[in-house]
Amino acid sequence: MTFSRKTARLTTALIAVGALTALTACSSGGAAAKPDKPIEVPGATADGNAHMNELYDKAVADGKTDIVLYGPSVSAQKDLFKVFTDRFPGIKMVQQDQPDAQSITKIEAEAQSGSKIADIYDGGESPQVAAEDGICTQADVRTAPDGFEIPGDFDGRLTYYAMRYFVFVYNTDMVKEDEAPKNWDDLLDPKWKGKITVGDPTVPGGIRYILTSLMVPESEDTWGKPYIEKLAAQDVQFAQSEPNVPADVASGRFPIGIAVYQGFYEDVKEKGGPIAAVFPLDDGGNFMSRTGMCIIDKSPHPDAAQLYINWLYSPEGQQALAEKNRSYGWTPEAPGPEGTPPLNELKRVPFANSDPEFNQPYFDFITEQFTK
């Protein structure tokens, strides 16, 4: 039955491939307005600039200047894309927002049919599509600092390029700035009992990984299982979903929310809610999530796709991630978003481990502690 369901999904996606091929062709635009002189990306080395110009020249000469991106929220990166396309005139970012499962099914269907549309899949820490042989290819990045190893997974088929952070939030009408929790131990103050909201840690979600990172061997001497037991005893209240945590705080339902993805907080903040964030935590208990991309093997616009990941690792790209994408780049001196410390000054707990066997004992302990 599993095979037949997958076959049905692929068949449906194959039908969509033909329609999307026409759509993409129509959106490609005209000839690239390429400058006569080589592009100089600020801060990049001579070799880095030479590599980017070689990719750029080939993309323009071949008329393959579109970069088609699939992912759950690629259109949210328009400000970042504009910095890139302003630097390399004629390159066009074609964004197709769709859930992870839909993106993966389409990419699989395109690989099976030989009619590829996507150049890049942009997702989270472990996009399933990168785990499959023959779909993604390694990024050839030559713009990072000497000696820096480009972070990735699945034998290099997944390339990490950004990091997002998580915050504590508080209602500014209910909590003064100097009284807001500044670290994990502050949450154990009796005055916050029953007044802290969080995503449900007993179901799949980011909060389970954050709490696990507080218990792994690297963190257990600072927090560990005894801390999780104490936090659970604070009668934390579960939001309907993790994105609801900052909304519930802004509405006044709860004064404090924890383990909030920065994007969820910023969405509420932009709407004018009485809400503020605490980051970084002063105990070093900061949690970061990784954002990765896979470049589709033998994609329609391979040089333009490789140009984009190289630009992201240039000093200009790392700066643009902070300014336009509110995220951290990966190079040691990558700047943080406005108001945050640079990466080399930020203390954090370990990244989430994607191995289910590693996580399960921790997840079981969390469920036991927080089941109401």
Side-chain angles (χ1 to χ4, degrees):
M1 292 296 293
T2 300
F3 174 78
S4 63
R5 284 198 299 269
K6 183 173 183 178
T7 301
R9 290 198 303 271
L10 288 174
T11 300
T12 301
L14 283 168
I15 294 171
V17 166
L20 284 171
T21 300
L23 175 62
T24 303
C26 291
S27 66
S28 297
K34 183 178 179 296
D36 294 333
K37 297 181 179 179
I39 299 294
E40 290 190 13
V41 176
T45 65
D47 287 344
N49 267 316
H51 181 52
M52 287 188 283
N53 274 280
E54 181 181 356
L55 293 168
Y56 183 39
D57 290 347
K58 194 167 188 309
V60 173
D62 293 344
K64 298 180 177 180
T65 51
D66 285 1
I67 303 176
V68 180
L69 301 100
Y70 289 1
S73 58
V74 287
S75 65
Q77 303 183 61
K78 287 180 179 178
D79 290 344
L80 175 67
F81 296 156
K82 187 176 187 304
V83 181
F84 170 62
T85 55
D86 282 351
R87 180 61 61 194
F88 293 96
I91 300 294
K92 183 175 181 180
M93 310 300 276
V94 182
Q95 308 120 46
Q96 295 190 6
D97 285 357
Q98 50 205 357
D100 280 334
Q102 185 177 351
S103 294
I104 292 168
T105 299
K106 284 184 178 180
I107 290 170
E108 289 174 338
E110 290 171 20
Q112 181 174 307
S113 70
S115 298
K116 295 184 178 182
I117 297 172
D119 295 293
I120 290 174
Y121 172 69
D122 190 309
E125 295 204 2
S126 54
Q128 289 174 271
V129 71
E132 298 188 35
D133 289 331
I135 294 184
C136 299
T137 190
Q138 291 187 349
D140 180 15
V141 179
R142 307 183 196 177
T143 49
D146 288 342
F148 179 80
E149 183 176 351
I150 302 299
D153 211 337
F154 304 116
D155 298 323
R157 296 191 299 271
L158 173 66
T159 304
Y160 295 121
Y161 71 89
M163 288 177 276
R164 298 279 189 167
Y165 56 89
F166 286 69
V167 299
F168 289 176
V169 297
Y170 62 96
N171 184 298
T172 55
D173 291 338
M174 303 169 73
V175 180
K176 295 180 181 178
E177 182 179 0
D178 60 356
E179 295 177 347
K182 304 298 191 298
N183 54 57
W184 290 96
D185 280 344
D186 285 352
L187 300 176
L188 305 182
D189 190 315
K191 70 181 179 182
W192 301 127
K193 188 168 185 176
K195 298 180 180 179
I196 300 170
T197 185
V198 67
D200 187 345
T202 68
V203 300
I207 178 61
R208 293 206 300 184
Y209 289 101
I210 296 173
L211 296 180
T212 294
S213 291
L214 297 177
M215 292 188 285
V216 295
E218 301 94 319
S219 304
E220 62 183 354
D221 290 342
T222 303
W223 298 283
K225 290 183 177 180
Y227 174 81
I228 302 301
E229 292 172 339
K230 293 175 184 176
L231 181 64
Q234 281 289 76
D235 188 27
V236 297
Q237 302 297 302
F238 302 160
Q240 185 176 3
S241 66
E242 291 187 0
N244 282 97
V245 173
D248 285 348
V249 170
S251 71
R253 290 190 63 196
F254 300 97
I256 303 294
I258 63 172
V260 176
Y261 170 62
Q262 66 175 94
F264 299 155
Y265 158 70
E266 289 164 4
D267 286 346
V268 174
K269 181 71 174 177
E270 288 177 2
K271 295 175 182 176
I275 191 172
V278 176
F279 179 84
L281 304 180
D282 62 21
D283 59 358
N286 304 293
F287 183 82
M288 312 285 284
S289 66
R290 295 170 286 193
T291 301
M293 71 168 65
C294 87
I295 297 176
I296 305 302
D297 189 30
K298 298 180 177 64
S299 76
H301 314 99
D303 297 301
Q306 292 282 359
L307 173 61
Y308 179 55
I309 187 63
N310 272 271
W311 175 79
L312 282 173
Y313 268 99
S314 73
E316 181 177 66
Q318 297 286 285
Q319 183 70 40
L321 283 168
E323 292 182 355
K324 305 300 183 181
N325 207 41
R326 292 290 299 170
S327 60
Y328 280 87
W330 276 84
T331 58
E333 296 183 357
E338 184 178 1
T340 68
L343 187 61
N344 59 3
E345 296 179 11
L346 181 67
K347 295 181 179 180
R348 58 175 177 79
V349 294
F351 287 120
N353 191 311
S354 58
D355 183 357
E357 292 185 5
F358 175 89
N359 290 318
Q360 198 58 53
Y362 293 107
F363 289 174
D364 290 344
F365 178 79
I366 291 168
T367 298
E368 178 185 350
Q369 297 304 312
F370 287 91
T371 297
K372 295 182 180 291

